[in-house]
């Protein structure tokens, strides 16, 4: 950092490693921007460690209080942080690479790989395989609809447990996919599932939409910023597993609704390019540097 001589430091989710960036910025009076990406207090509650939730939230606020600007991925996160006493908050939304993800990547070969040759609907999940993603909620859907296949793309600490959980169903675990393979996996599916209740945004949902997939997501956290019930996907009450399954079923066997939601998903993704998102971020950087410069000049005058 000293050799690079930054005009601004941006720390992402500064809980451990990011603290070195916070300390360097304070020591050298460099403007600091922080962004919030993981709902650790929410995870603590969900994992049965609620007694630590308040302490974690206060620790996070102490760190973010040192930033000139705190960026949030969604309105729901901004409102939650505001209720916890965080200040200087602004939205830094997420985008999608509209060239990388597209319905044009649909492939019968990829669909065969993900379904094992099953002719029925193909459900898709993409992301880190961990307990808070609640992927075990998908098993009852497969048991109720044995013609469905499920593809789980990604890796993580819960993979072995999930492979045991889905044994005996039409489920394929691909591990991590990248580039054209990932784009083809999205485009070759019929429905994207996002059952987690603590997503600060859920960028995989936007990638799925740009690939022409309706999304079923929890009505909480980041997905509320881009999943509009009945227009580009369906939402379910965050703790209602039965409602989640009924939303999936409603789309699976209703081609008219599936087509309507697919069209809505593509329209939503069109306005979410990374170019526009990052242009706004650069403008926020410039504004932060300018305000910092004025403050320093005023104090030294």
């Amino acid at each position: 950092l000293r050799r690079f001589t930054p005009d601004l430091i941006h720390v992402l989710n500064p809980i451990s490693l990011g603290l070195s960036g916070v300390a360097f910025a304070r020591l050298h009076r460099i403007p600091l921007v922080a962004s919030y990406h993981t709902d650790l207090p929410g995870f603590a509650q969900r994992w049965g460690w609620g007694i630590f939730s308040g302490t974690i939230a206060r620790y996070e606020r102490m760190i973010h209080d040192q930033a000139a600007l705190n960026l949030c991925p969604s309105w729901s996160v901004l409102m939650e942080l505001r209720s916890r006493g965080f200040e200087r908050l602004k939205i830094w939304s997420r985008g999608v690479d509209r060239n990388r993800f597209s319905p044009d990547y649909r492939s019968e070969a990829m669909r065969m790989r993900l379904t094992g040759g099953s002719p029925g609907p193909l459900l898709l999940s993409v992301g880190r395989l961990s307990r808070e993603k609640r992927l075990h909620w998908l098993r009852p859907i497969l048991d109720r609809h044995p013609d469905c296949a499920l593809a789980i793309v990604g890796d993580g600490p819960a993979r072995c447990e999930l492979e045991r959980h889905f044994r005996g169903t039409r489920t394929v675990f691909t591990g991590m996919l990248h580039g054209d393979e990932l784009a083809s996996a999205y485009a070759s599916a019929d429905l994207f599932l996002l059952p987690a209740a603590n997503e600060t945004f859920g960028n995989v949902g936007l990638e799925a939409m740009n690939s022409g997939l309706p999304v079923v997501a929890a009505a909480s956290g980041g997905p509320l910023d881009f999943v509009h019930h009945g227009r580009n996907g369906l939402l379910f009450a965050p703790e209602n597993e039965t409602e989640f399954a009924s939303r999936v079923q409603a789309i699976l066997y209703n081609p008219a609704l599936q087509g309507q939601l697919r069209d809505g998903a593509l329209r939503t993704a069109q306005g979410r390019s990374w170019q526009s998102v990052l242009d706004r971020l650069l403008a926020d950087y410039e504004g932060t540097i300018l305000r910092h410069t004025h403050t320093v000049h005023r104090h030294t005058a």
Side-chain angles (χ1 to χ4, degrees):
L1 280 170
R2 194 173 291 113
R3 286 196 301 271
F4 185 69
T5 62
D7 299 300
L8 175 142
I9 292 176
H10 181 171
V11 289
L12 279 69
N13 234 60
I15 297 298
S16 52
L17 179 62
L19 295 179
S20 59
V22 175
F24 189 90
R26 286 175 58 84
L27 180 64
H28 295 278
R29 297 183 180 180
I30 297 169
L32 178 70
V33 171
S35 51
Y36 190 95
H37 300 275
T38 305
D39 181 18
L40 291 179
F43 288 158
Q45 289 280 6
R46 188 164 302 281
W47 292 338
W49 302 338
I51 190 172
F52 300 112
S53 184
T55 302
I56 295 170
R58 287 190 293 274
Y59 174 69
E60 289 180 326
R61 188 179 67 198
M62 177 189 72
I63 298 169
H64 281 266
D65 277 350
Q66 300 176 65
L69 178 64
N70 288 300
L71 299 172
C72 313
S74 64
W75 279 107
S76 61
V77 172
L78 186 147
M79 297 306 293
E80 176 63 27
L81 295 184
R82 183 171 289 165
S83 73
R84 297 178 192 169
F86 285 61
E87 298 179 339
R88 299 177 294 283
L89 299 168
K90 192 169 184 179
I91 295 292
W92 174 32
S93 189
R94 304 275 79 88
V96 61
D97 185 338
R98 301 200 59 243
N99 294 318
R100 163 55 59 203
F101 301 102
S102 164
D104 295 341
Y105 282 94
R106 184 177 176 88
S107 157
E108 288 307 314
M110 176 59 76
R111 189 175 176 90
M112 178 71 71
R113 172 181 169 185
L114 298 181
T115 64
S118 169
L122 173 57
L123 312 178
L124 179 67
S125 170
V126 177
R128 186 169 184 266
L129 307 188
S130 53
R131 287 176 56 196
E132 71 273 8
K133 300 299 185 180
R134 301 198 303 197
L135 296 179
H136 59 281
W137 278 24
L138 309 184
R139 173 71 197 243
I141 296 171
L142 297 180
D143 290 340
R144 196 172 298 116
H145 307 288
D147 59 324
C148 286
L150 169 65
I152 296 180
V153 177
D155 216 332
R159 178 167 178 174
C160 290
E161 177 187 341
L162 287 168
E163 287 178 338
R164 288 193 298 270
H165 184 73
F166 285 96
R167 193 169 293 152
T169 66
R170 297 178 186 272
T171 301
V172 172
F173 288 82
T174 68
M176 295 286 288
L177 296 180
H178 302 279
D180 289 352
E181 276 197 313
L182 178 59
S184 182
Y186 276 121
S188 301
D190 298 306
L191 180 59
F192 189 78
L193 306 180
L194 201 58
N198 291 94
E199 297 284 357
T200 54
F201 190 80
N203 213 64
V204 289
L206 268 186
E207 293 170 354
M209 284 185 174
N210 207 65
S211 304
L213 297 186
V215 174
V216 176
S220 66
L224 288 172
D225 270 27
F226 62 91
V227 181
H228 307 298
H229 188 74
R231 289 165 50 195
N232 56 20
L234 296 180
L235 296 168
F236 65 93
E239 303 305 324
N240 194 329
E241 185 177 355
T242 301
E243 186 172 86
F244 169 64
S246 70
R247 297 293 196 234
V248 174
Q249 181 173 318
I251 299 176
L252 281 179
Y253 301 106
N254 187 335
L257 177 61
Q258 195 172 121
Q260 171 190 322
L261 298 178
R262 183 185 299 113
D263 292 343
L266 287 167
R267 284 194 298 272
T268 298
Q270 284 176 357
R272 292 277 191 164
S273 74
W274 274 119
Q275 180 71 43
S276 60
V277 169
L278 294 176
D279 281 349
R280 289 192 293 271
L281 177 64
L282 291 175
D284 286 335
Y285 284 169
E286 291 174 356
T288 301
I289 293 170
L290 189 60
R291 287 190 298 274
H292 176 80
T293 302
H294 286 170
T295 301
V296 169
H297 285 168
R298 188 167 62 249
H299 287 168
T300 55

